Amino acid sequence: MPDPTLKPASAQESPSWIRERVLAAFAKAGFPEERILPPLAPETDFDALRSVFAAVPPVRILDVGGGTGATALAMALAFPDARIIAVDVNAPLPEMSAAGPADAEASPLGIAAAAARSLRAEGRIRFAAGVFAAHPAAGTGARVVGPDLCAEEGDFDLILIGGSATAESRAADLRLAASALSMRGLIATAGVMGPGGTGARAGVSDFLRYNRDFFYIHPAIASARGSPGLLRHRSAGWFPGFEAPRPMRDETPPDSVRERFADLAAVTLGARPVLEIAVGAPM
């Protein structure tokens, strides 16, 4: 049963209400907004996720690389019936200490647990320290915990992947996440757009190269700062709340579009014949 204290007065929790509650919980635990890592996702991201689950909310959520737990706490508020597993390498962060030397061993999951208690959500969130799937960096002392967690806790309806954004680690996290995803579930992979998203994008591309039974969609480049890419089993259909791509096989583009692409091809490929230019819809 959901904790009634997590319910606002209105039936539909607004993203701004969720954000205020999460930030207040961290502040009560002694960690103001600027010390929350990674930062709380934009409100538009919560709207996008909830549109996907408007008909059937998720009941099992996995948060990978969530740092101090802001996303896990937001999910606890957005989906009050859900059980959440939050995984992070949990390296000590003495610079995040709010109390000085006495609190020098402050860690991301310790901070997250304190904030969860403030929200009275600790009974629905399990915190696990370790690396999800990628091999841990030498000298970190971290162990790989993802396979055991997935075997014990899956199938997940929603999996949020953050943390390391190298191509190898993101691809490894996606492969393991896909093995623990329910057939109608969703994977949201963070940091795929923008200048810093090169590694994450490469990891997604590597995953899709060998897992062609997934749909993939990402935000428009112009509005992509911080927004995740979404993956879903093709057998579950297109993403609820998102317009499906429309093939243009039977449509002839205007001459202005053809001329523009011809100019781009000349700049990119040089002065040589071009047989065909294909423009892809979201994968």
Side-chain angles (χ1 to χ4, degrees):
M1 293 291 291
D3 186 338
T5 63
L6 300 182
K7 284 284 193 180
S10 61
Q12 178 70 22
E13 300 90 339
S14 70
S16 59
W17 180 88
I18 292 172
R19 180 179 181 82
E20 290 170 4
R21 288 294 305 274
V22 170
L23 295 180
F26 279 106
K28 185 176 180 180
F31 289 88
E33 182 176 0
E34 61 269 17
R35 296 187 176 186
I36 298 173
L37 296 173
L40 193 59
E43 295 178 7
T44 51
D45 289 358
F46 292 115
D47 276 340
L49 288 177
R50 292 204 298 190
S51 70
V52 174
F53 292 102
V56 182
V59 295
R60 303 183 73 81
I61 299 174
L62 173 65
D63 180 29
V64 176
T68 51
T71 298
L73 297 182
M75 292 299 101
L77 294 174
F79 304 108
D81 290 309
R83 171 172 167 76
I84 299 157
I85 312 300
V87 182
D88 192 81
V89 69
N90 202 37
L93 299 171
E95 73 276 11
M96 297 182 68
S97 170
D103 192 28
E105 293 302 313
S107 67
L109 294 186
I111 297 164
R117 288 192 295 272
S118 178
L119 282 178
R120 304 167 105 184
E122 69 273 21
R124 294 193 296 114
I125 304 177
R126 174 184 175 184
F127 297 104
V131 175
F132 181 62
H135 190 71
T140 63
R143 63 190 183 93
V144 178
V145 300
D148 289 342
L149 280 174
C150 288
E152 181 181 350
E153 298 280 358
D155 294 336
F156 294 101
D157 304 305
L158 172 59
I159 301 177
L160 306 148
I161 298 182
S164 176
T166 66
E168 295 80 6
S169 62
R170 188 56 59 93
D173 286 346
L174 285 170
R175 287 192 293 269
L176 180 55
S179 73
L181 186 68
S182 67
M183 288 309 297
R184 300 190 67 82
L186 181 80
I187 298 174
T189 177
V192 294
M193 301 302 291
T198 303
R201 289 194 296 273
V204 172
S205 296
D206 183 70
F207 170 79
L208 291 171
R209 184 176 299 118
Y210 302 103
N211 295 271
R212 297 181 179 272
D213 56 339
F214 277 82
F215 282 126
Y216 173 64
I217 189 172
H218 60 71
I221 293 175
S223 59
R225 183 176 297 274
S227 297
L230 306 179
L231 297 113
R232 195 175 196 232
H233 288 288
R234 288 180 178 268
S235 60
W238 190 247
F239 304 89
F242 290 83
E243 183 179 357
R246 294 179 297 128
M248 294 181 61
R249 296 188 186 121
D250 298 328
E251 299 179 23
T252 301
D255 289 341
S256 59
V257 173
R258 297 167 63 89
E259 292 171 3
R260 181 58 178 156
F261 274 112
D263 292 341
L264 290 173
V267 171
T268 305
L269 304 175
R272 64 186 72 181
V274 177
L275 178 64
E276 178 182 356
I277 298 176
V279 181
M283 290 179 283

